[in-house]
Amino acid sequence: MRSSRSDNGSLVVSPATAGDTSATQASATQVVLAFDDNRLASLLFGQYGQNLALIERRLGIVAEQRGNHVTVAGPRDGVEQARRVLEGLYEQLKRGDELVSGDVEGAIRLAIAQGSLFDYDTADARPSFEEINLRKRPVRARTAAQDAYIRALRRHALVFGTGPAGTGKTWLAVAQAVQLFERKEVDRIILSRPAVEAGERLGFLPGDMREKVDPYLRPIYDALYDLMDARIVERALQTGEIEIAPLAFMRGRTLSNAVVILDEAQNTTAMQMKMCLTRLGENSRMIVTGDPSQVDLPPGQTSGLAEATRLLRNVEGIAHVVYTAEDVVRHELVARIVDAYDKATALKAAKAHESWAQESKE
């Protein structure tokens, strides 16, 4: 891959803007990138140029494609970030990795996190977000919060991941568990969720225990089958190496040499959360995920997740990573939906406080 640059290594300034004296125009520039492999270049740009369009929207630049060349124009910071995005994604394709829209978004967020043209230091900056290497395929962080989450999962025995839907909390938890299992660092993966406490009665559902809880653990199953070979997953479920353990049935157990994932933890009571956290045995890890904004407990009952993250905030060996709407990695509309709901909740809380204050004065 080649890029057009001046002799001193700076980005080539477009003649159309070089003579403009305004501050905005003077900071504009353009760079031409050429990619040697036409097939990979086509994958990089995306069908009908959709990847380039996403980069344009997110970085505020203009990217024009001609064959295996792309001309990037706009503010110098945006052009430099777009160059790093395209070069990084092209290297990913050269390694034989698949490229999906989420990877493009992740590369964009990485470039933004690395900073502007002026404070970016190639010697000090990390080349990419953290990744989890699995036999089937690597799983890369796509946001700064996911990056921090993976680092926390590696360094701490107990990690809380909280935030809105679509931020990858459960997905990355399963990926980390699969990696430890494949490396034989643990013997079991234990999956749990407080399905009973969300209002359902598992006893009235047909089938054995696995069939009863399957509907509630479907997101975790989807992640397992995507990150591991289906035959390995089925065999591990039959041998108990991957175990489905409804939260209500974990009392009295000591979970050793295992990775325990407690999903939808916002629906645990305070006592249930304490019971679950104290199941941790030797050489075990626990990952607790949940969305504090979607509590299904009866009104007035405190969420065990909220209490645990508050009480254990400064305990050594425990990490808590908080996601926001900006970390949503599903369809870009999901982030806007989450943000709209958050704003509505904040406005409602502000009005309630204002009403309470007015009543207090009276």
Side-chain angles (χ1 to χ4, degrees):
M1 195 211 70
R2 305 178 302 279
S3 60
S4 299
R5 292 177 174 272
S6 62
D7 293 337
N8 62 5
S10 61
L11 296 175
V12 176
V13 179
S14 168
T17 61
D20 200 307
T21 57
S22 69
T24 302
Q25 292 292 335
S27 64
T29 187
Q30 76 174 25
V31 61
V32 179
L33 303 174
F35 301 92
D36 301 327
D37 190 312
N38 291 336
R39 184 184 66 86
L40 296 183
S42 178
L43 294 174
L44 173 64
F45 302 150
Q47 189 174 22
Y48 305 115
Q50 62 183 8
N51 292 342
L52 290 179
L54 177 59
I55 294 171
E56 285 182 322
R57 292 198 306 271
R58 297 283 278 107
L59 296 179
I61 52 90
V62 175
E64 294 185 0
Q65 172 195 351
R66 286 188 177 86
N68 64 336
H69 291 69
V70 59
T71 301
V72 183
R76 281 196 290 176
D77 286 351
V79 169
E80 173 66 11
Q81 289 168 350
R83 181 190 65 79
R84 296 204 301 263
V85 169
L86 290 167
E87 289 179 352
L89 293 174
Y90 186 69
E91 289 301 316
Q92 179 179 329
L93 288 168
K94 286 174 66 176
R95 292 194 300 267
D97 295 340
E98 184 183 2
L99 185 64
V100 297
S101 60
D103 294 324
V104 180
E105 178 64 31
I108 293 170
R109 297 188 190 200
L110 172 62
I112 294 173
Q114 286 175 333
S116 69
L117 173 65
F118 304 104
D119 59 22
Y120 176 68
D121 187 347
T122 55
D124 297 332
R126 295 165 56 208
S128 63
F129 283 142
E130 294 283 352
E131 68 177 30
I132 300 172
N133 292 307
L134 306 177
R135 291 175 185 171
K136 192 171 184 180
R137 65 184 179 87
V139 175
R140 296 181 182 84
R142 295 175 178 175
T143 69
Q146 287 190 350
D147 184 62
Y149 190 49
I150 292 178
R151 285 186 279 118
L153 292 173
R154 289 174 177 166
R155 299 172 184 174
H156 297 83
L158 173 59
V159 177
F160 291 94
T162 61
T167 50
K169 306 181 299 297
T170 302
W171 178 267
L172 291 177
V174 174
Q176 177 67 8
V178 169
Q179 182 185 59
L180 294 175
F181 181 73
E182 289 181 343
R183 291 180 177 180
K184 306 298 182 183
E185 294 183 32
V186 296
D187 298 330
R188 293 179 296 165
I189 298 175
I190 299 175
L191 312 173
S192 187
R193 190 175 182 180
V196 176
E197 303 310 318
E200 297 86 358
R201 295 287 184 177
L202 297 186
F204 291 101
L205 295 177
D208 58 21
M209 181 52 62
R210 177 182 167 185
E211 292 171 331
K212 289 176 185 290
V213 300
D214 267 1
Y216 309 107
L217 292 167
R218 180 48 52 189
I220 298 180
Y221 275 122
D222 290 343
L224 278 173
Y225 282 105
D226 193 60
L227 299 171
M228 297 177 72
D229 184 271
R231 291 172 297 178
I232 296 177
V233 175
E234 288 299 329
R235 184 169 64 248
L237 285 168
Q238 292 174 5
T239 61
E241 291 174 302
I242 297 179
E243 179 184 350
I244 310 301
L247 185 59
F249 293 178
M250 291 180 68
R251 186 176 298 277
R253 301 182 62 184
T254 300
L255 307 175
S256 302
N257 298 310
V259 180
V260 184
I261 299 177
L262 175 60
D263 194 32
E264 297 291 331
Q266 75 275 4
N267 289 329
T268 60
T269 65
M271 290 302 297
Q272 285 176 329
M273 178 60 75
K274 180 182 177 182
M275 179 273 292
C276 181
L277 295 178
T278 54
R279 301 307 94 201
L280 204 59
E282 292 185 2
N283 190 39
S284 287
R285 306 284 188 91
M286 185 173 290
I287 309 170
V288 180
T289 66
D291 181 357
S293 69
Q294 296 190 33
V295 178
D296 295 319
L297 295 172
Q301 194 163 23
T302 302
S303 167
L305 178 62
E307 182 179 76
T309 53
R310 177 177 57 84
L311 293 176
L312 305 177
R313 182 175 304 160
N314 299 316
V315 176
E316 184 179 354
I318 299 176
H320 180 199
V321 178
V322 179
Y323 292 86
T324 67
E326 294 180 356
D327 299 305
V328 173
V329 292
R330 291 180 185 168
H331 195 286
E332 56 186 320
L333 278 178
V334 176
R336 299 174 193 169
I337 292 169
V338 170
D339 186 56
Y341 273 93
D342 287 345
K343 288 180 179 178
T345 301
L347 181 60
K348 184 178 179 180
K351 288 182 177 179
H353 179 74
E354 183 180 347
S355 177
W356 175 84
Q358 186 66 31
E359 291 177 358
S360 297
K361 290 179 181 181
E362 296 175 356

